[in-house]
Amino acid sequence: MPDSRNWFDTVPEHRHRRLSASRRDGIHIDVDGRRLINFASNDYLGLSFNAAVCMGASGAFSESVGSGASRLVSGDDPMLHRLERKLADWKGYEACLIIGSGMLANIGLLQALAGRHTHLFADRLNHASLVDGARLSGAVSHRYRHLDSAQLASQLSQYPADRRIIVSDGVFSMDGDCADARTLLALAETHDALLLIDDAHGTGTLGADGRGLTALHGIAGHARLIEVGTFGKAFGSYGAFILGTHELIEGLRQRQRTMVYSTALPVALIAASETALALIERGEPVKQLHERLARFKAGVSGMGFMDSDTPIQPLLIGSDQQALTMAAKLADAGFFVPAIRPPTVPDGTARLRFTLSAAHSHEQIDALIAILKELL
């Protein structure tokens, strides 16, 4: 008879996920007794350890640690409202709603927007939060081939419904490529649908001002568009936000269960994110990131990296074991780039996912390029 010791099937060794105790120290990471240069973080602008951002958080921590309640009870600090207004203005939307995390944002958003009479049209490589949100919403789901707008158009024509939503990542976290947001919006208009874009990895990284994919494509603020962003990547903090029209955001305040029934974010994290936004708006961290990305791409040209103009630079390896072996060799050389394996990516597409940060020095990038030339 099954009990808790044999409830789950055994995970093969080459697919086994291990939670390695690690401690970040700026651009370095201490893991398994070794101090490595971290090329695996989503801290694209190095703001998680920026002195001003940390000072903003520590000042708020002197008053309280937790918020003490959900936003609808007593946890709705005025700083939340202030940051929501700033984010909406910066991103070019009417209104904003701050949520506890990107996972909570997408799961709750799709549950609030969709029901069993709604049809969702989703890119096959969408993030797990969008996949799970679609499942939990109870909507009828259709998946189209990655970035295949022609198949999406065909599906939209084939499955008419009163309520339809196109759902896509902005920047795809494992491939580093981008959705054609302008084409997706055109399809949404043609077929009378909403468009939901999760631009978690584009916010703070894409465009000269870092305002992300929708701003870069000139569609931010459109009435058919809903955008999700996060504080957990380029902002260097924690939490997430949803952008849209006043009416959409007000509807979510009434219906989004992952906001209504979750404790509000601690004010210290809101203070850190507000400081990070001010630094991003000044432009220097984004400029530094773009310069370092260009340096890395020039150095690894011809080595077989997947095509990406984002800080996510994947190197497709193929087999799980080969990816693990390559990651181990990089660690021996002083670089932290863990192997990404199924089920995070499709079978046969294990890879190394290099991520660039504004905090990387030229010397660190050049040293990584040099060891890659030896290994590849």
Side-chain angles (χ1 to χ4, degrees):
M1 295 293 292
D3 60 22
S4 63
R5 296 185 188 278
N6 58 17
W7 190 264
F8 294 119
D9 294 335
T10 302
V11 177
E13 181 62 31
H14 65 96
R15 295 280 170 90
H16 189 74
R17 291 167 167 169
R18 188 166 62 96
L19 298 179
S20 299
S22 61
R23 183 179 181 86
R24 292 173 62 238
D25 179 13
I27 205 63
H28 291 87
I29 185 168
D30 297 319
V31 57
D32 292 336
R34 293 192 289 187
R35 187 172 178 81
L36 308 174
I37 302 170
N38 191 355
F39 276 93
S41 171
N42 294 327
D43 186 13
Y44 300 123
L45 301 179
L47 295 182
S48 70
F49 50 88
N50 177 276
V53 174
C54 293
M55 189 177 298
S58 62
F61 266 133
S62 66
E63 299 179 8
S64 67
V65 176
S67 59
S70 72
R71 293 192 63 176
L72 267 68
V73 178
S74 63
D76 206 30
D77 192 276
M79 286 184 67
L80 281 161
H81 294 251
R82 186 173 70 195
L83 182 54
E84 284 172 341
R85 289 193 298 271
K86 288 183 177 181
L87 285 165
D89 289 344
W90 178 59
K91 292 284 282 182
Y93 288 82
E94 292 178 5
C96 173
L97 182 65
I98 290 175
I99 307 290
S101 72
M103 195 77 180
L104 290 174
N106 282 334
I107 288 175
L109 175 58
L110 282 167
Q111 284 182 293
L113 291 173
R116 62 191 181 92
H117 297 299
T118 309
H119 284 238
L120 303 179
F121 301 84
D123 190 293
R124 283 187 175 275
L125 295 189
N126 278 349
H127 187 266
S129 58
L130 293 173
V131 174
D132 289 353
R135 289 171 176 165
L136 292 169
S137 73
V140 180
S141 291
H142 313 276
R143 296 198 301 164
Y144 58 91
R145 287 183 295 270
H146 181 49
L147 302 182
D148 191 337
S149 57
Q151 186 181 37
L152 170 59
S154 176
Q155 289 178 347
L156 287 164
S157 297
Q158 185 178 355
Y159 300 104
D162 289 338
R163 290 176 176 262
R164 296 186 292 178
I165 308 171
I166 300 168
V167 182
S168 179
D169 281 7
V171 174
F172 290 85
S173 60
M174 292 298 117
D175 285 28
D177 51 3
C178 300
D180 185 345
R182 193 178 292 110
T183 295
L184 293 181
L185 182 59
L187 287 171
E189 290 191 283
T190 299
H191 296 276
D192 199 23
L194 292 180
L195 171 60
L196 166 56
I197 289 184
D198 178 353
D199 202 28
H201 293 271
T203 300
T205 67
L206 293 183
D209 54 9
R211 288 195 299 136
L213 185 72
T214 61
L216 190 63
H217 286 205
I219 65 170
H222 194 283
R224 291 193 181 274
L225 177 60
I226 305 164
E227 181 173 340
V228 177
T230 180
F231 300 131
K233 296 177 174 60
F235 277 70
S237 181
Y238 188 77
F241 52 92
I242 302 169
L243 300 151
T245 61
H246 288 297
E247 294 82 358
L248 182 281
I249 297 301
E250 181 57 34
L252 293 178
R253 290 192 185 107
Q254 308 306 316
R255 296 169 178 84
Q256 182 144 352
R257 294 168 64 85
T258 54
M259 185 273 290
V260 173
Y261 298 108
S262 290
T263 300
L265 280 173
V267 174
L269 296 180
I270 299 302
S273 296
E274 187 174 30
T275 305
L277 176 59
L279 293 173
I280 294 170
E281 287 183 299
R282 292 177 191 173
E284 189 59 30
V286 180
K287 180 181 177 182
Q288 290 177 350
L289 172 64
H290 290 174
E291 187 275 330
R292 283 150 178 76
L293 175 59
R295 189 183 190 95
F296 180 80
K297 283 177 64 68
V300 300
S301 178
M303 291 189 193
F305 276 75
M306 297 171 67
D307 186 28
S308 169
D309 291 321
T310 77
I312 301 166
Q313 296 290 306
L315 179 63
L316 188 63
I317 303 297
S319 78
D320 296 1
Q321 190 55 56
Q322 286 176 319
L324 289 167
T325 299
M326 178 71 79
K329 290 180 178 179
L330 285 169
D332 289 341
F335 301 97
F336 184 65
V337 190
I340 306 295
R341 294 161 288 157
T344 303
V345 294
D347 285 333
T349 68
R351 67 199 62 186
L352 298 181
R353 178 182 179 269
F354 297 79
T355 54
L356 276 292
S357 170
H360 285 125
S361 69
H362 291 171
E363 292 76 17
Q364 290 167 339
I365 293 171
D366 292 345
L368 175 59
I369 293 169
I371 193 64
L372 286 171
K373 287 181 177 178
E374 294 180 14
L375 295 176
L376 296 176

